[in-house]
mmCIF file of all heavy atoms in Angstrom:
data_model
loop_
_atom_site.group_PDB
_atom_site.id
_atom_site.type_symbol
_atom_site.label_atom_id
_atom_site.label_comp_id
_atom_site.label_asym_id
_atom_site.label_seq_id
_atom_site.Cartn_x
_atom_site.Cartn_y
_atom_site.Cartn_z
ATOM 1 N N ASP A 59 100.511 89.273 114.009
ATOM 2 C CA ASP A 59 100.888 90.611 114.467
ATOM 3 C C ASP A 59 102.393 90.822 114.582
ATOM 4 O O ASP A 59 102.871 91.936 114.442
ATOM 5 C CB ASP A 59 100.255 90.891 115.835
ATOM 6 C CG ASP A 59 98.758 91.141 115.728
ATOM 7 O OD1 ASP A 59 98.343 91.827 114.768
ATOM 8 O OD2 ASP A 59 98.011 90.649 116.586
ATOM 9 N N VAL A 60 103.132 89.773 114.861
ATOM 10 C CA VAL A 60 104.556 89.922 115.134
ATOM 11 C C VAL A 60 105.387 88.893 114.373
ATOM 12 O O VAL A 60 106.063 88.051 114.958
ATOM 13 C CB VAL A 60 104.849 89.839 116.653
ATOM 14 C CG1 VAL A 60 104.356 91.068 117.371
ATOM 15 C CG2 VAL A 60 104.215 88.579 117.262
ATOM 16 N N PRO A 61 105.395 88.934 113.043
ATOM 17 C CA PRO A 61 106.082 87.897 112.269
ATOM 18 C C PRO A 61 107.586 88.098 112.083
ATOM 19 O O PRO A 61 108.283 87.165 111.681
ATOM 20 C CB PRO A 61 105.378 88.006 110.905
ATOM 21 C CG PRO A 61 105.043 89.466 110.804
ATOM 22 C CD PRO A 61 104.680 89.876 112.207
ATOM 23 N N GLU A 62 108.082 89.297 112.410
ATOM 24 C CA GLU A 62 109.486 89.588 112.115
ATOM 25 C C GLU A 62 110.413 88.658 112.879
ATOM 26 O O GLU A 62 110.302 88.493 114.085
ATOM 27 C CB GLU A 62 109.812 91.045 112.466
ATOM 28 C CG GLU A 62 109.101 92.089 111.612
ATOM 29 C CD GLU A 62 107.644 92.265 111.984
ATOM 30 O OE1 GLU A 62 107.285 91.897 113.123
ATOM 31 O OE2 GLU A 62 106.866 92.734 111.128
ATOM 32 N N GLY A 63 111.353 88.071 112.149
ATOM 33 C CA GLY A 63 112.346 87.192 112.762
ATOM 34 C C GLY A 63 111.918 85.736 112.805
ATOM 35 O O GLY A 63 112.668 84.902 113.316
ATOM 36 N N TYR A 64 110.736 85.438 112.264
ATOM 37 C CA TYR A 64 110.220 84.074 112.298
ATOM 38 C C TYR A 64 109.872 83.602 110.886
ATOM 39 O O TYR A 64 109.546 84.402 110.026
ATOM 40 C CB TYR A 64 108.965 83.989 113.158
ATOM 41 C CG TYR A 64 109.121 84.474 114.571
ATOM 42 C CD1 TYR A 64 108.809 85.790 114.915
ATOM 43 C CD2 TYR A 64 109.605 83.627 115.569
ATOM 44 C CE1 TYR A 64 108.961 86.251 116.206
ATOM 45 C CE2 TYR A 64 109.746 84.077 116.870
ATOM 46 C CZ TYR A 64 109.431 85.397 117.172
ATOM 47 O OH TYR A 64 109.579 85.849 118.463
ATOM 48 N N LYS A 65 109.930 82.297 110.709
ATOM 49 C CA LYS A 65 109.445 81.670 109.491
ATOM 50 C C LYS A 65 108.620 80.466 109.879
ATOM 51 O O LYS A 65 108.817 79.868 110.948
ATOM 52 C CB LYS A 65 110.620 81.212 108.604
ATOM 53 C CG LYS A 65 111.342 82.312 107.887
ATOM 54 C CD LYS A 65 112.527 81.771 107.105
ATOM 55 C CE LYS A 65 112.154 80.699 106.116
ATOM 56 N NZ LYS A 65 113.314 80.223 105.328
ATOM 57 N N VAL A 66 107.690 80.104 108.991
ATOM 58 C CA VAL A 66 106.904 78.904 109.201
ATOM 59 C C VAL A 66 106.774 78.174 107.879
ATOM 60 O O VAL A 66 107.058 78.724 106.815
ATOM 61 C CB VAL A 66 105.483 79.210 109.748
ATOM 62 C CG1 VAL A 66 105.540 79.791 111.154
ATOM 63 C CG2 VAL A 66 104.734 80.145 108.798
ATOM 64 N N SER A 67 106.351 76.938 107.976
ATOM 65 C CA SER A 67 106.025 76.182 106.773
ATOM 66 C C SER A 67 104.893 75.225 107.119
ATOM 67 O O SER A 67 104.731 74.819 108.264
ATOM 68 C CB SER A 67 107.239 75.419 106.248
ATOM 69 O OG SER A 67 107.607 74.389 107.150
ATOM 70 N N ARG A 68 104.110 74.881 106.108
ATOM 71 C CA ARG A 68 103.002 73.939 106.326
ATOM 72 C C ARG A 68 102.987 72.994 105.126
ATOM 73 O O ARG A 68 102.210 73.141 104.192
ATOM 74 C CB ARG A 68 101.675 74.693 106.457
ATOM 75 C CG ARG A 68 100.512 73.795 106.862
ATOM 76 C CD ARG A 68 100.332 73.727 108.319
ATOM 77 N NE ARG A 68 99.261 72.847 108.720
ATOM 78 C CZ ARG A 68 97.985 73.213 108.826
ATOM 79 N NH1 ARG A 68 97.611 74.455 108.522
ATOM 80 N NH2 ARG A 68 97.088 72.345 109.220
ATOM 81 N N LYS A 69 103.836 72.027 105.192
ATOM 82 C CA LYS A 69 103.945 71.045 104.103
ATOM 83 C C LYS A 69 103.015 69.867 104.305
ATOM 84 O O LYS A 69 102.653 69.169 103.348
ATOM 85 C CB LYS A 69 105.386 70.580 103.962
ATOM 86 C CG LYS A 69 106.323 71.683 103.483
ATOM 87 C CD LYS A 69 107.730 71.180 103.313
ATOM 88 C CE LYS A 69 108.621 72.170 102.565
ATOM 89 N NZ LYS A 69 108.518 73.544 103.061
ATOM 90 N N GLU A 70 102.668 69.653 105.545
ATOM 91 C CA GLU A 70 101.723 68.587 105.867
ATOM 92 C C GLU A 70 100.671 69.188 106.786
ATOM 93 O O GLU A 70 100.952 70.117 107.531
ATOM 94 C CB GLU A 70 102.398 67.450 106.606
ATOM 95 C CG GLU A 70 103.607 66.864 105.946
ATOM 96 C CD GLU A 70 104.331 65.954 106.926
ATOM 97 O OE1 GLU A 70 105.114 66.471 107.733
ATOM 98 O OE2 GLU A 70 104.085 64.740 106.889
ATOM 99 N N LYS A 71 99.499 68.605 106.764
ATOM 100 C CA LYS A 71 98.400 69.149 107.567
ATOM 101 C C LYS A 71 98.709 69.090 109.052
ATOM 102 O O LYS A 71 98.363 69.993 109.801
ATOM 103 C CB LYS A 71 97.123 68.368 107.272
ATOM 104 C CG LYS A 71 95.854 69.071 107.669
ATOM 105 C CD LYS A 71 94.658 68.251 107.202
ATOM 106 C CE LYS A 71 93.479 69.121 106.964
ATOM 107 N NZ LYS A 71 92.307 68.377 106.492
ATOM 108 N N ARG A 72 99.367 68.053 109.504
ATOM 109 C CA ARG A 72 99.547 67.856 110.923
ATOM 110 C C ARG A 72 100.688 68.673 111.520
ATOM 111 O O ARG A 72 100.733 68.870 112.725
ATOM 112 C CB ARG A 72 99.755 66.381 111.225
ATOM 113 C CG ARG A 72 101.013 65.786 110.618
ATOM 114 C CD ARG A 72 101.123 64.297 110.910
ATOM 115 N NE ARG A 72 101.372 64.079 112.332
ATOM 116 C CZ ARG A 72 100.589 63.338 113.102
ATOM 117 N NH1 ARG A 72 99.497 62.778 112.610
ATOM 118 N NH2 ARG A 72 100.885 63.152 114.369
ATOM 119 N N ASN A 73 101.610 69.148 110.720
ATOM 120 C CA ASN A 73 102.825 69.795 111.245
ATOM 121 C C ASN A 73 102.921 71.262 110.860
ATOM 122 O O ASN A 73 102.636 71.638 109.708
ATOM 123 C CB ASN A 73 104.064 69.067 110.742
ATOM 124 C CG ASN A 73 104.152 67.657 111.265
ATOM 125 O OD1 ASN A 73 103.804 67.389 112.399
ATOM 126 N ND2 ASN A 73 104.622 66.753 110.418
ATOM 127 N N PHE A 74 103.373 72.059 111.803
ATOM 128 C CA PHE A 74 103.505 73.498 111.562
ATOM 129 C C PHE A 74 104.710 74.000 112.355
ATOM 130 O O PHE A 74 104.576 74.612 113.415
ATOM 131 C CB PHE A 74 102.223 74.207 111.992
ATOM 132 C CG PHE A 74 102.109 75.643 111.566
ATOM 133 C CD1 PHE A 74 102.479 76.055 110.298
ATOM 134 C CD2 PHE A 74 101.613 76.602 112.441
ATOM 135 C CE1 PHE A 74 102.354 77.378 109.902
ATOM 136 C CE2 PHE A 74 101.480 77.930 112.059
ATOM 137 C CZ PHE A 74 101.856 78.311 110.789
ATOM 138 N N PRO A 75 105.911 73.770 111.856
ATOM 139 C CA PRO A 75 107.094 74.178 112.608
ATOM 140 C C PRO A 75 107.338 75.686 112.568
ATOM 141 O O PRO A 75 107.023 76.356 111.581
ATOM 142 C CB PRO A 75 108.220 73.428 111.890
ATOM 143 C CG PRO A 75 107.704 73.207 110.500
ATOM 144 C CD PRO A 75 106.221 73.031 110.640
ATOM 145 N N LEU A 76 107.914 76.183 113.641
ATOM 146 C CA LEU A 76 108.307 77.590 113.752
ATOM 147 C C LEU A 76 109.825 77.645 113.680
ATOM 148 O O LEU A 76 110.504 76.974 114.451
ATOM 149 C CB LEU A 76 107.815 78.177 115.072
ATOM 150 C CG LEU A 76 108.157 79.642 115.337
ATOM 151 C CD1 LEU A 76 107.385 80.556 114.405
ATOM 152 C CD2 LEU A 76 107.867 79.997 116.798
ATOM 153 N N ILE A 77 110.336 78.459 112.787
ATOM 154 C CA ILE A 77 111.770 78.532 112.535
ATOM 155 C C ILE A 77 112.278 79.916 112.896
ATOM 156 O O ILE A 77 111.708 80.930 112.462
ATOM 157 C CB ILE A 77 112.074 78.237 111.053
ATOM 158 C CG1 ILE A 77 111.517 76.859 110.670
ATOM 159 C CG2 ILE A 77 113.578 78.312 110.777
ATOM 160 C CD1 ILE A 77 111.298 76.685 109.203
ATOM 161 N N LEU A 78 113.335 79.944 113.691
ATOM 162 C CA LEU A 78 114.035 81.191 113.980
ATOM 163 C C LEU A 78 115.393 81.082 113.310
ATOM 164 O O LEU A 78 116.267 80.341 113.763
ATOM 165 C CB LEU A 78 114.170 81.415 115.485
ATOM 166 C CG LEU A 78 112.919 81.866 116.235
ATOM 167 C CD1 LEU A 78 111.901 80.740 116.365
ATOM 168 C CD2 LEU A 78 113.292 82.417 117.612
#
Side-chain angles (χ1 to χ4, degrees):
Chain A
D59 287 320
V60 289
E62 294 76 21
Y64 304 94
K65 286 177 57 178
V66 294
S67 67
R68 187 91 182 273
K69 293 182 168 47
E70 306 168 277
K71 199 175 207 179
R72 64 183 291 123
N73 295 323
F74 191 42
L76 180 69
I77 303 159
L78 284 72

